[in-house]
Amino acid sequence: MQRPAYLHASYRYGFWWLALVALGLLALGLGLRDPWPADEPRFALNSLEMLKTGHFWLPHRGGELYPDKPPIFMWATAASIAITGSVRLGFLLPSLIAALGTLALVTDLTNRLYGRRIALLSGIALLSTVQFALQAKTAQIDMLVTLWITLGAYGLMRHALLGPARGWWYLGCAAMGLGIITKGVGFLPLLMLPAWALLAWRGKATPLRLKELGLGLALILGVAALWVVPMALITTFGDEPGMAAYRDNILFKQTGKRLATAWHHVKPWHYYIVSVLPWAWLPLVLGLPWVVPSWWHRLRRLDARVLLPLSGTLLVVVFFSLSPGKRGVYMLPTSPLLVLAMAPLLPGLLCKRGLHWLATGLLALLGAIFLVAGVLGAAGLPALTELAAKYDVTPWVWWMLLGVAAAGLLVWLRPRRGMLGLAAWLAVFWALWSTFGYQQLDQTRSPRDMMQRVVQITGPSAWLAQPDFDEEFLLQAQQPSVHFGFHTDQDAQFLRAFDWLTQAPGERWMLIPQRKEDQIACADLSQVNDLGLQNNEHWWLIPGTAFASCQGDASAAPLFVAPTTVADAATAGYQPATQQDQDGVTATPEDSGK
């Protein structure tokens, strides 16, 4: 079959165009939304507290030690907020930079292994991968840890495939150490060691000497120890309540116990294969019917350039599948490795008529779904209007635009260029998601407007109790707030809240979801202020005077005063960005609602 003409384009400036497209696509939408649950408000709150309190070594959440993750990502977020002067701009920057760094590592390595054309195709393939683009636009730890894992794999493969290059091996080991103190699993590139040993034994790769292995492992542990050792000393000899529990949680519960005996997100062993990878690896997954036979032939002749990243990809999937606790985002580090394993096959794949027809069929299906849903929603179909009411959005125009875009690409590019059409449609999807989608969903996923209504009712100097709180409400609070321990038993939290409210009932209020009505059966519910629906919950605001008949207990749970919020950050100079900021005009805290 004749090679498509668009593959013959000059690659001289291809990397610069790829970098510009990646920056434009992934950075689009910065400053247009607040941190969204589940994880983003928590890390933004951690970072703001670091900036205000100066407690950088041990992260805090609402004045309470936060023991679930090491602080590397929070440090990066705090630095981004401080540099940009904006919570909205800063909280997404670490993921953006990590995604661009990962993309650069993959294209550089494939360029060295296969040449410029395959490197450019590999970069486009990674940028088009659904989970990669999604996490680049999400302020979670996983994109940053993927950067460290990819750098670790890069250093390993530079030594194994293009070596000897001991310096790159040691740099990769240092990156793995950073990955461990980012999210514990930075060591994943070491899963390629068995394949490396086999290839070196057969003379297909640079041998890893025992001394180099020992120094590399020592470097991994040494970099991790830069935070772990001071943390252990501080928590062992410090006098802040909960420090010993913090140390034990971060060292044991959040590492080995979380993987071996997970207590949440429990899924069957096949969860990733059946429920995650089919969408996370799109559109790469479409090429597997042609890639797998080619992989087999290359593996039979021990092609080290394919065997190393492919073994890493498969073993990462197996590693996380063995744990009962599973989240789809754990598969993110496999995307760069998968692209590296598929890289030499990409030009041939783009010549496969069947692959283009498969991509065309998927594009037609996605376009039809969005177009029909948009038309029926605009026409008032009850099921869809109920869905829109639940989330307080009217996305029909957006859905119709995606459907029309798919139809237009199908007509313009035809089935012979189905993969190009699918990649272009994904770019349209992310562009609309990062603009229209952000604006539509922000008021639903961020409680900013509701917390403004709260302060209008209570007054700015009134104190607000948030038992059984979610971080987004503490982050967006516009007034002094307290809580009673994130992991504290709920009954104990409410007993302490009753005691605190009745000490100054005219100046203190409680914010609570309606579903907790049984917990406040002693309260006078005639005084409830109904705030309506927010973040899929119905919310009540209740004055302290409504709890006069409630029996509290001052010793039931500790009281934590939230030391900072987005509103505090604005007064400190970290102003939330608005659309005006994109035009060079900085909004005031009053204008932005923070």
Side-chain angles (χ1 to χ4, degrees):
M1 180 177 177
Q2 185 178 2
R3 189 178 301 275
Y6 59 89
L7 291 183
H8 293 288
S10 171
Y11 290 86
R12 184 177 180 182
Y13 301 107
F15 292 118
W16 290 110
W17 281 112
L18 176 63
L20 288 173
V21 170
L23 179 62
L25 184 65
L26 300 182
L28 187 63
L30 283 179
L32 295 184
R33 69 172 178 90
D34 292 320
W36 290 349
D39 296 334
E40 292 179 348
R42 180 183 315 137
F43 297 134
L45 194 63
N46 296 147
S47 303
L48 287 175
E49 290 193 29
M50 286 180 174
L51 291 172
K52 183 166 185 177
T53 66
H55 295 158
F56 286 92
W57 214 251
L58 304 179
H60 287 70
R61 171 180 50 195
E64 179 185 20
L65 282 167
Y66 172 65
D68 290 358
K69 295 292 184 293
I72 295 287
F73 183 74
M74 286 79 101
W75 290 347
T77 305
S80 298
I81 293 173
I83 291 170
T84 62
S86 165
V87 175
R88 278 191 164 189
L89 283 174
F91 85 98
L92 283 170
L93 271 182
S95 291
L96 170 63
I97 294 170
L100 294 174
T102 302
L103 185 66
L105 290 170
V106 170
T107 54
D108 181 77
L109 186 57
T110 49
N111 182 42
R112 294 174 185 276
L113 291 173
Y114 305 108
R116 190 176 298 172
R117 182 174 62 133
I118 291 180
L120 184 57
L121 291 176
S122 299
I124 295 170
L126 181 59
L127 184 61
S128 301
T129 305
V130 169
Q131 190 175 49
F132 179 82
L134 174 64
Q135 289 302 313
K137 292 178 169 292
T138 305
Q140 293 178 305
I141 292 180
D142 301 272
M143 196 71 250
L144 183 59
V145 78
T146 295
L147 171 64
W148 301 134
I149 291 170
T150 306
L151 181 54
Y154 178 95
L156 185 153
M157 285 189 277
R158 281 291 299 267
H159 186 33
L161 303 178
L162 299 168
R166 297 177 185 87
W168 284 108
W169 160 246
Y170 295 136
L171 177 62
C173 290
M176 292 184 232
L178 288 173
I180 289 174
I181 55 176
T182 300
K183 200 183 176 181
V185 294
F187 61 85
L188 289 177
L190 295 180
L191 295 176
M192 290 188 283
L193 287 180
W196 187 0
L198 171 64
L199 292 166
W201 176 57
R202 297 293 298 272
K204 300 289 186 177
T206 304
L208 179 65
R209 302 182 185 279
L210 188 60
K211 180 180 178 181
E212 295 168 356
L213 175 61
L215 288 175
L217 295 177
L219 188 57
I220 293 173
L221 296 176
V223 170
L226 292 176
W227 177 75
V228 172
V229 172
M231 178 276 297
L233 293 174
I234 292 170
T235 53
T236 299
F237 300 105
D239 56 1
E240 182 179 347
M243 279 193 168
Y246 174 93
R247 178 198 61 213
D248 295 342
N249 190 307
I250 197 71
L251 290 180
F252 306 113
K253 183 178 179 181
Q254 296 298 327
T255 52
K257 185 176 180 181
R258 189 184 188 98
L259 290 172
T261 58
W263 56 94
H264 54 32
H265 303 298
V266 176
K267 304 290 184 182
W269 68 268
H270 53 75
Y271 171 70
Y272 293 123
I273 299 172
V274 174
S275 303
V276 176
L277 297 180
W279 66 263
W281 283 355
L282 272 175
L284 300 179
V285 72
L286 298 180
L288 291 183
W290 293 272
V291 168
V292 171
S294 298
W295 275 341
W296 175 245
H297 293 303
R298 287 175 176 265
L299 295 181
R300 290 181 63 184
R301 62 175 186 262
L302 294 181
D303 186 337
R305 298 177 300 176
V306 170
L307 179 55
L308 267 183
L310 181 58
S311 70
T313 303
L314 297 177
L315 288 176
V316 168
V317 175
V318 171
F319 175 81
F320 284 115
S321 295
L322 291 175
S323 172
K326 300 175 179 66
R327 294 183 64 192
V329 75
Y330 295 170
M331 289 293 99
L332 181 61
T334 64
S335 293
L337 292 174
L338 180 66
V339 170
L340 289 170
M342 294 180 67
L345 309 174
L346 290 175
L349 270 179
L350 294 178
C351 298
K352 301 293 184 182
R353 186 187 303 272
L355 175 63
H356 288 287
W357 276 97
L358 190 60
T360 297
L362 178 60
L363 179 59
L365 176 63
L366 292 172
I369 290 173
F370 279 101
L371 184 59
V372 171
V375 171
L376 293 179
L381 183 70
L384 291 175
T385 54
E386 290 174 9
L387 180 66
K390 179 180 179 181
Y391 292 99
D392 194 26
V393 292
T394 53
W396 317 126
V397 174
W398 179 45
W399 291 20
M400 285 188 283
L401 285 173
L402 287 169
V404 170
L409 288 168
L410 286 171
V411 171
W412 177 41
L413 296 173
R414 309 289 176 84
R416 62 181 179 175
R417 296 180 178 178
M419 284 296 288
L420 181 60
L422 182 58
W425 184 85
L426 287 171
V428 172
F429 175 88
W430 291 121
L432 289 173
W433 168 254
S434 304
T435 52
F436 187 78
Y438 281 4
Q439 293 173 333
Q440 282 286 308
L441 291 174
D442 194 50
Q443 62 181 347
T444 300
R445 304 201 66 186
S446 169
R448 177 190 64 246
D449 294 342
M450 191 188 83
M451 299 310 286
Q452 287 180 338
R453 295 199 302 274
V454 169
V455 80
Q456 290 169 0
I457 295 170
T458 66
S461 61
W463 282 72
L464 188 65
Q466 297 191 43
D468 192 29
F469 75 98
D470 287 331
E471 289 93 349
E472 60 267 27
F473 295 92
L474 204 61
L475 176 69
Q476 298 292 348
Q478 305 290 305
Q479 61 204 101
S481 299
V482 300
H483 67 94
F484 307 94
F486 188 81
H487 295 291
T488 304
D489 178 77
Q490 286 190 21
D491 291 336
Q493 288 193 50
F494 280 95
L495 287 174
R496 184 65 179 90
F498 296 154
D499 176 78
W500 180 79
L501 288 163
T502 54
Q503 290 177 19
E507 302 171 2
R508 298 176 178 180
W509 298 67
M510 178 188 286
L511 180 67
I512 183 175
Q514 184 183 10
R515 62 182 171 82
K516 299 291 182 181
E517 182 177 358
D518 292 344
Q519 296 276 1
I520 55 170
C522 58
D524 178 9
L525 298 185
S526 66
Q527 300 186 48
V528 166
N529 293 271
D530 192 334
L531 299 175
L533 193 68
Q534 180 66 53
N535 290 60
N536 299 328
E537 295 267 19
H538 206 97
W539 289 89
W540 285 352
L541 179 65
I542 311 173
T545 53
F547 298 93
S549 301
C550 296
Q551 185 66 38
D553 182 356
S555 63
L559 176 71
F560 294 95
V561 179
T564 188
T565 64
V566 171
D568 296 325
T571 61
Y574 310 117
Q575 296 190 16
T578 67
Q579 181 59 48
Q580 290 177 314
D581 289 326
Q582 308 306 305
D583 301 326
V585 180
T586 302
T588 65
E590 291 77 16
D591 293 333
S592 64
K594 294 183 181 175

